[in-house]
Amino acid sequence: MPTSTSSVPALRHPAHSVDRAFLRLERTRPDVRWDSGGIAYLSGPPPTLDELRAYVGLCLPRLPLFASRVEGGPRRSHWVTDAGFTVERHVHEVVAEGPEQAESALDTALNAPFPAGARWGIWLVRGLAPDAYAVCYRFQHACQDGSAAALAFRTLLSGGEPSARPVPRPRAGTGPRVALALGLTARAAFTVFTPRRRGPALPYTPTGDRRLGRGRVPLEALRRIGAARGGSAHDAHLAALAGALSAWSARTGVPLPRVSALVPLDARRQDEEQTWGNRCFALPLDLPVRAPAPAGGRPERDAPLWRLRRVTEATARLRSEPWRQAVQDVVRFMPDRPTEWYMRGVFSSRVTDILATSMPVADHGALGGTTVTGTALLPLLLPGHLFGVGLSFFGPWADVSFVTDRALPLGECLPRLWEEAVTALEAAVAPADAA
């Protein structure tokens, strides 16, 4: 029998200004794919579709957003329990007819439209290989941000493991916090208002068919690279991304005079419910793609170190607790119209060229007797952007995923170029006697 919302507590939860901005973007830009998500790759015999639907139904009380819908006008929208909800409308299956059809099956899960009225979906992808399958979870971004989606993963596949995201400690005194919040707001407005120098021209005609490419390196390697210059694993990732873009530009002949990455920032408080809506902010960050010519010394180490230094300098302020607190304060009180205006601006190719996100997912994962072996984020691929890139921290691994339009030249090479850039960074930060 269909699984309804009978076991899910009734609720009425106000939508956040970021949720409402996404809802309006959906209405005004129906040509754009506003869905995001992730894929978990598992080792072991896959469940049947009925078994997965039954399992998702059992998890509904811990994931109330799954069984909700939005109602109300554009300025007073809120989430309510959907009395007509069924699991069958949201959980689906794709079967690959042999390993050679694995990519096609994953593409189907990545690009399949949502059924009418559904704002999220789970696709069970079977037949990838003997004793291997995948679970693809996608959602309209008005429903969730990356932190909430990661919690959904942990609820479904890792027993509710707590988040590893950094959260600033509560601070007394409002004066400095107000000043920092106003400073962050002014910086954001200035970024959108100020015309930038020429960015890259989109080197293809979009087909609307999204493709996923994956790479992987040990998480500890990114942490060592970032720490070598006082940064984080995410800084190492962005420096490697800049190196990968430089190599991609040289191979394709696509000039990259300037590349700006839109970097989402988690703004959820420690005591804030993570299963609901959006609590995020995003700032553009110039990527150091065009390295200066090396001058003596060890030229093979110069460009990677230069990129790492430039990234860590640019993100130093945002890594600090006061600025993370400022992001929380801004997001908590963002009014609707400025929020929508800002999102339209930073999503535009006038301001940014790629979306680059990262998220700690979990230390482990399982479904029944099967084990999660890897993850891939599915970031937004925005109009005019080259691609979306996501970095997921799962267990001891850092899994990178590139979501590209199928027409992007050599888009399938980006994960390998990123891995090579990480290797170059490792060599560059190694002690001289170990080089």
Side-chain angles (χ1 to χ4, degrees):
M1 293 181 62
T3 304
S4 69
T5 59
S6 57
S7 61
V8 180
L11 53 89
R12 183 184 177 88
H13 192 93
H16 188 267
S17 59
V18 178
D19 305 348
R20 291 192 287 270
F22 271 116
L23 289 168
R24 284 190 289 275
L25 286 169
E26 288 177 17
R27 288 192 288 268
T28 58
R29 292 295 307 272
D31 56 312
V32 178
R33 300 281 299 270
W34 295 107
D35 59 299
S36 188
I39 299 178
Y41 299 85
L42 297 100
S43 175
T48 66
L49 178 59
D50 287 343
E51 288 171 339
L52 182 59
R53 284 173 169 171
Y55 176 72
V56 172
L58 291 174
C59 294
L60 287 178
R62 291 181 290 160
L63 293 167
L65 180 61
F66 274 28
S68 68
R69 59 183 173 83
V70 66
E71 66 177 30
R75 301 297 171 192
R76 296 185 178 276
S77 50
H78 48 269
W79 301 100
V80 299
T81 301
D82 183 0
F85 170 86
T86 64
V87 169
E88 287 73 14
R89 186 156 51 101
H90 293 78
V91 182
H92 318 280
E93 180 181 49
V94 181
V95 180
E97 300 296 333
E100 66 280 357
Q101 298 297 318
E103 182 179 354
S104 175
L106 284 168
D107 285 345
T108 298
L110 182 63
N111 292 290
F114 293 108
R119 302 198 63 84
W120 63 272
I122 290 176
W123 282 262
L124 170 64
V125 186
R126 298 195 293 115
L128 302 180
D131 286 338
Y133 68 102
V135 175
C136 176
Y137 168 52
R138 290 172 35 223
F139 54 91
Q140 296 287 2
H141 216 304
C143 298
Q144 287 187 324
D145 56 25
S147 284
L151 180 69
F153 176 96
R154 289 188 288 273
T155 300
L156 290 168
L157 298 175
S158 72
E161 177 184 325
S163 171
R165 63 193 178 91
V167 179
R169 295 186 297 270
R171 290 175 173 268
T174 59
R177 286 176 55 177
V178 170
L180 282 174
L182 290 174
L184 179 61
T185 303
R187 172 182 171 179
F190 178 80
T191 299
V192 175
F193 267 127
T194 306
R196 66 171 182 162
R197 300 188 303 274
R198 183 172 61 91
L202 201 63
Y204 65 91
T205 300
T207 66
D209 186 16
R210 296 182 296 187
R211 176 171 57 181
L212 174 66
R214 300 171 60 214
R216 164 176 276 194
V217 299
L219 174 56
E220 189 56 35
L222 289 186
R223 286 174 172 162
R224 282 197 307 270
I225 293 167
R229 292 297 181 272
S232 65
H234 183 62
D235 294 326
H237 159 59
L238 292 176
L241 180 59
L245 279 166
S246 178
W248 178 83
S249 175
R251 293 190 182 201
T252 60
V254 175
L256 297 178
R258 184 173 184 268
V259 178
S260 178
L262 181 60
V263 181
L265 305 172
D266 181 20
R268 294 177 182 272
R269 302 190 305 274
Q270 184 72 53
D271 59 345
E272 193 166 25
E273 175 59 59
Q274 290 191 59
T275 61
W276 217 270
N278 289 265
R279 297 293 188 277
C280 60
F281 197 63
L283 284 172
L285 175 72
D286 286 345
L287 291 180
V289 174
R290 301 180 65 187
R298 303 189 54 154
E300 74 277 6
R301 299 164 66 100
D302 286 352
L305 285 176
W306 175 81
R307 292 191 175 99
L308 181 60
R309 177 176 59 81
R310 290 290 297 271
V311 168
T312 54
E313 288 174 353
T315 63
R317 177 177 286 180
L318 293 177
R319 288 195 307 273
S320 69
E321 283 205 2
W323 274 88
R324 287 207 305 269
Q325 182 67 63
V327 170
Q328 286 187 352
D329 292 338
V330 168
V331 171
R332 187 175 183 183
F333 300 107
M334 289 167 72
D336 282 4
R337 290 189 184 278
T339 299
E340 184 180 2
W341 169 82
Y342 178 73
M343 287 172 59
R344 287 181 183 277
V346 295
F347 284 172
S348 168
S349 57
R350 293 185 305 103
V351 178
T352 55
D353 307 296
I354 63 175
L355 188 145
T357 186
S358 68
M359 185 59 55
V361 175
D363 286 333
H364 64 277
L367 180 58
T370 63
T371 303
V372 179
T373 58
T375 58
L377 300 184
L378 303 175
L380 290 173
L381 178 57
L382 297 168
H385 277 203
L386 292 171
F387 52 78
V389 58
L391 185 70
S392 55
F393 302 135
F394 177 74
W397 296 103
D399 291 328
V400 72
S401 56
F402 288 83
V403 174
T404 67
D405 190 280
R406 190 164 292 277
L408 180 71
L410 296 184
E412 69 278 5
C413 296
L414 287 167
R416 179 167 52 83
L417 295 176
W418 180 86
E419 291 175 341
E420 292 172 355
V422 172
T423 300
L425 281 165
E426 281 193 286
V429 302
D433 59 354

